[in-house]
């Protein structure tokens, strides 16, 4: 049954059979007729084998092919061998599929496999618990027919899946889920949903805590500052108490500045639904920023302001002014006296760009990605000397997020830095 195919063996058998027919024909004196009868018998025998094969392929329920003989032995053996290979492959695929499903079930997130028409091909158990799917009854159903939240429908229609979508869970309105969709394989998509209820609760608690603590610290700091000012006015010049009182006053002012920036950061974080229909007069804002910068610089720096006329934007004026003011004050604070600071507001291909360029000492590359973190400082000692709190760029980051923009930082050690952001075209005021 397991003999391999041999062409030499088959031709040898055919030659021997024909030779036998010729010999018998010569013995009976009719070689041609005997040869014709032999070939006819051989043809009938081959058709018989074909009939057996056809019956096994279409009607017989046996898994193994019939026993072959003669030249058909190699054919039946080859079929049996291919069957064994296919069974092994199917076993390997079944084991691989089982491992894939086990891995998908072990995921901490809900997973749904979709085809190109957004029909459900497969989902894990967590998807059934978190999104209310029923498997296998929902197999082949369109995902937007089962998740009917308006935001999800718009998300699907837009087809822009770079950013995740947050929406209430279909199972419970108290739970918040984050949905991501990514393409893979042959025009298939993978939907991943995770529960972010706890994360958002912790973020809310943190924001509330920071806002409450900052608000509660404001009053005692004001009282302390008032008493320190009174004690400074009563202290005699050159006395041993003058220097400690001056240091205490500086630190109190620094704490008050930190509290004010924390309150500002909390207000910006909470103002998620800002009105982007308001028009911000950037020419007027740049004039105000220039006056503030000149007062802060005190003629110790070379300040250059450039503003393209008629280039206004939509957004929240308070937040944009806070972002621009922080960038300018940082440039002044971290540039040695005599340095040059250039502030520009100009049109670019992707919108309007605000930039602040200084000739300071620059920033090492390993620090750039962390500059917008709260309280992060490249040089803590220098920040304390200049009055930095480590919150300015965090305020800038959140303010720009509300205006569909982000902070870009480029810096060369020993040469200076450029902090910039681009307001996109759809937020610019269209000139009449």
């Amino acid at each position: 049954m397991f003999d391999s195919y041999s062409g030499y063996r088959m031709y040898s058998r055919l030659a021997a059979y024909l030779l036998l027919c010729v010999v018998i024909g010569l013995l009976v004196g009719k070689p041609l007729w005997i040869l014709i009868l032999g070939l006819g018998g051989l043809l009938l025998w081959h058709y018989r084998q074909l009939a057996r094969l056809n019956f096994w392929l279409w009607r017989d329920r046996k898994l193994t092919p019939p026993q072959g003989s003669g030249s058909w032995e190699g054919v039946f053996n080859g079929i049996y061998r291919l069957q064994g290979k296919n069974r092994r492959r199917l076993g390997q695929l079944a084991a691989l599929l089982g491992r894939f499903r086990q891995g998908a079930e072990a995921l901490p997130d809900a997973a749904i496999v979709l085809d190109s028409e957004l029909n459900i091909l497969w989902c894990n158990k967590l998807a059934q618990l978190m999104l209310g799917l029923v498997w296998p009854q929902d197999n082949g159903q369109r995902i937007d027919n089962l998740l009917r939240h308006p935001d999800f429908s718009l998300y699907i229609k837009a087809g822009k899946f770079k950013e995740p979508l947050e929406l209430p869970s279909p199972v419970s309105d108290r739970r918040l889920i984050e949905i991501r969709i990514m393409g893979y394989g042959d025009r298939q998509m993978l939907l991943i949903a995770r529960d972010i209820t706890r994360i958002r609760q912790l973020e809310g608690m943190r924001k509330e805590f920071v806002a409450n603590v900052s608000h509660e610290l404001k009053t005692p700091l004001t009282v302390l500052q008032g008493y320190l000012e009174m004690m400074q006015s009563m202290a005699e010049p050159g006395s041993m108490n003058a220097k400690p009182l001056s240091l205490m006053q500086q630190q109190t002012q620094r704490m008050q500045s930190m509290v004010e920036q924390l309150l500002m950061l909390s207000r910006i974080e909470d103002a998620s639904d800002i009105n982007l229909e308001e028009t911000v007069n950037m020419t007027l804002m740049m004039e105000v920023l220039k006056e503030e910068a000149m007062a802060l610089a005190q003629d110790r720096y070379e300040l250059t302001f450039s503003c393209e006329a008629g280039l206004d934007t939509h957004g929240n004026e308070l937040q944009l002014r806070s972002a621009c003011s922080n960038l300018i004050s940082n440039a002044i604070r971290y540039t040695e006296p005599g340095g040059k600071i250039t502030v520009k507001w100009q049109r670019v291909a992707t919108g309007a760009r605000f930039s602040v360029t200084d000739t300071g000492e620059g920033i090492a590359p390993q620090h750039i990605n962390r500059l917008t973190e709260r309280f992060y400082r490249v040089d803590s000692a220098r920040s304390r000397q200049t009055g930095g709190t480590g919150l300015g760029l965090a305020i800038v980051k959140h303010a720009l997020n509300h205006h569909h923009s982000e902070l870009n930082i480029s810096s060369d050690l020993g040469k200076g830095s450029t902090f910039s952001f681009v307001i996109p075209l759809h937020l610019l005021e269209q000139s009449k």
Side-chain angles (χ1 to χ4, degrees):
M1 189 69 182
F2 298 97
D3 291 342
S4 62
Y5 170 81
S6 174
Y8 175 78
R9 184 178 179 184
M10 184 182 71
Y11 290 126
S12 298
R13 286 181 176 180
L14 179 61
Y17 178 77
L18 294 176
L19 181 60
L20 179 63
C21 291
V22 171
V23 170
I24 294 173
L26 290 173
L27 291 175
V28 299
K30 295 182 179 180
L32 183 61
W33 283 102
I34 297 298
L35 183 62
I36 292 173
L37 289 174
L39 289 175
L42 182 63
L43 185 62
L44 289 174
W45 181 79
H46 278 294
Y47 270 102
R48 169 60 180 163
Q49 300 302 320
L50 280 174
R52 292 177 65 201
L53 179 60
N54 186 65
F55 177 80
W56 175 74
L57 289 173
W58 293 98
R59 297 183 183 181
D60 200 350
R61 295 184 179 181
K62 294 180 181 179
L63 294 178
T64 57
Q67 182 70 32
S69 61
S71 59
W72 283 86
E73 184 178 2
V75 175
F76 289 120
N77 287 350
I79 293 174
Y80 186 78
R81 183 168 174 269
L82 287 176
Q83 273 189 321
K85 281 186 177 180
N86 288 335
R87 279 195 293 267
R88 286 192 295 273
R89 287 181 181 177
L90 287 175
Q92 292 172 354
L93 289 175
L96 183 62
L97 183 60
R99 288 196 295 270
F100 166 76
R101 288 186 173 179
Q102 288 176 356
E105 294 293 352
L107 287 174
D109 302 328
I112 304 175
V113 178
L114 307 171
D115 63 14
S116 59
E117 301 296 329
L118 301 177
N119 299 316
I120 299 175
L121 299 178
W122 179 85
C123 69
N124 61 0
K125 290 182 181 178
L126 201 55
Q128 302 173 49
L129 297 175
M130 191 182 299
L131 302 176
L133 301 182
V134 180
W135 188 259
Q137 286 84 344
D138 289 336
N139 184 22
Q141 297 288 328
R142 275 183 63 95
I143 187 65
D144 49 354
N145 289 338
L146 301 175
L147 302 180
R148 294 181 174 274
H149 196 281
D151 292 345
F152 182 74
S153 298
L154 293 174
Y155 185 67
I156 290 293
K157 289 179 181 178
K160 299 177 181 178
F161 304 133
K162 290 184 178 180
E163 297 295 328
L165 173 68
E166 295 181 10
L167 70 161
S169 171
V171 179
S172 174
D173 291 337
R174 296 181 180 180
R175 309 201 70 80
L176 190 66
I177 60 175
E178 180 186 78
I179 290 178
R180 290 179 178 272
I181 298 178
M182 58 210 76
Y184 84 101
D186 185 14
R187 298 177 63 193
Q188 292 182 341
M189 287 181 284
L190 180 65
L191 185 149
I192 299 292
R194 66 187 183 110
D195 191 337
I196 58 171
T197 307
R198 183 61 177 167
I199 296 174
R200 292 295 176 261
Q201 287 176 347
L202 292 174
E203 287 183 358
M205 291 169 62
R206 177 187 59 78
K207 292 178 183 178
E208 186 177 356
F209 173 77
V210 170
N212 290 339
V213 169
S214 303
H215 184 74
E216 293 299 326
L217 284 174
K218 206 171 181 183
T219 300
L221 280 174
T222 303
V223 174
L224 282 173
Q225 195 169 14
Y227 277 108
L228 284 173
E229 289 176 356
M230 183 177 67
M231 293 170 68
Q232 276 185 311
S233 63
M234 295 171 59
E236 296 181 2
S239 66
M240 60 181 299
N241 293 329
K243 185 174 181 181
L245 287 172
S246 176
L247 290 174
M248 291 169 67
Q249 180 69 14
Q250 290 177 8
Q251 293 303 314
T252 306
Q253 290 176 351
R254 183 165 171 265
M255 287 182 67
Q256 190 169 20
S257 174
M258 186 181 298
V259 167
E260 290 175 354
Q261 287 198 321
L262 279 171
L263 287 171
M264 172 66 75
L265 184 57
S266 297
R267 285 195 294 268
I268 291 177
E269 284 183 329
D270 291 337
S272 56
D273 297 327
I274 64 171
N275 184 10
L276 294 178
E277 298 298 325
E278 297 180 7
T279 301
V280 181
N281 189 329
M282 292 301 297
T283 303
L284 183 59
M285 181 186 288
M286 289 289 284
E287 290 295 330
V288 175
L289 292 173
K290 183 177 180 180
E291 292 178 5
E292 292 178 354
M294 292 178 67
L296 187 62
Q298 298 179 353
D299 297 328
R300 295 178 298 169
Y301 303 88
E302 181 183 347
L303 298 178
T304 303
F305 277 74
S306 173
C307 177
E308 186 171 331
L311 187 56
D312 296 332
T313 184
H314 293 288
N316 185 283
E317 183 175 358
L318 202 59
Q319 292 190 16
L320 284 176
R321 180 179 169 184
S322 176
C324 297
S325 179
N326 272 294
L327 293 180
I328 295 172
S329 62
N330 275 355
I332 295 173
R333 186 178 292 116
Y334 295 104
T335 302
E336 295 295 332
K340 183 178 180 181
I341 296 167
T342 304
V343 182
K344 293 182 179 180
W345 171 252
Q346 58 188 356
R347 189 182 298 274
V348 293
T350 55
R353 182 173 184 262
F354 179 87
S355 62
V356 180
T357 304
D358 61 60
T359 57
E361 59 186 19
I363 306 166
Q366 65 267 25
H367 296 296
I368 290 179
N369 291 333
R370 299 192 60 190
L371 286 179
T372 55
E373 296 178 9
R374 292 177 177 85
F375 302 109
Y376 183 81
R377 298 165 182 162
V378 176
D379 187 346
S380 299
R382 180 173 171 83
S383 297
R384 284 193 292 271
Q385 293 173 3
T386 57
T389 62
L391 292 170
L393 293 182
I395 292 174
V396 173
K397 174 186 174 181
H398 286 86
L400 294 181
N401 284 342
H402 293 160
H403 293 81
H404 307 163
S405 183
E406 60 181 14
L407 181 63
N408 298 310
I409 306 171
S410 60
S411 183
D412 292 325
L413 279 175
K415 295 182 179 180
S417 307
T418 297
F419 292 76
S420 65
F421 62 86
V422 175
I423 299 296
L425 287 169
H426 69 271
L427 289 182
L428 296 183
E429 175 74 10
Q430 299 299 324
S431 57
K432 298 180 181 179

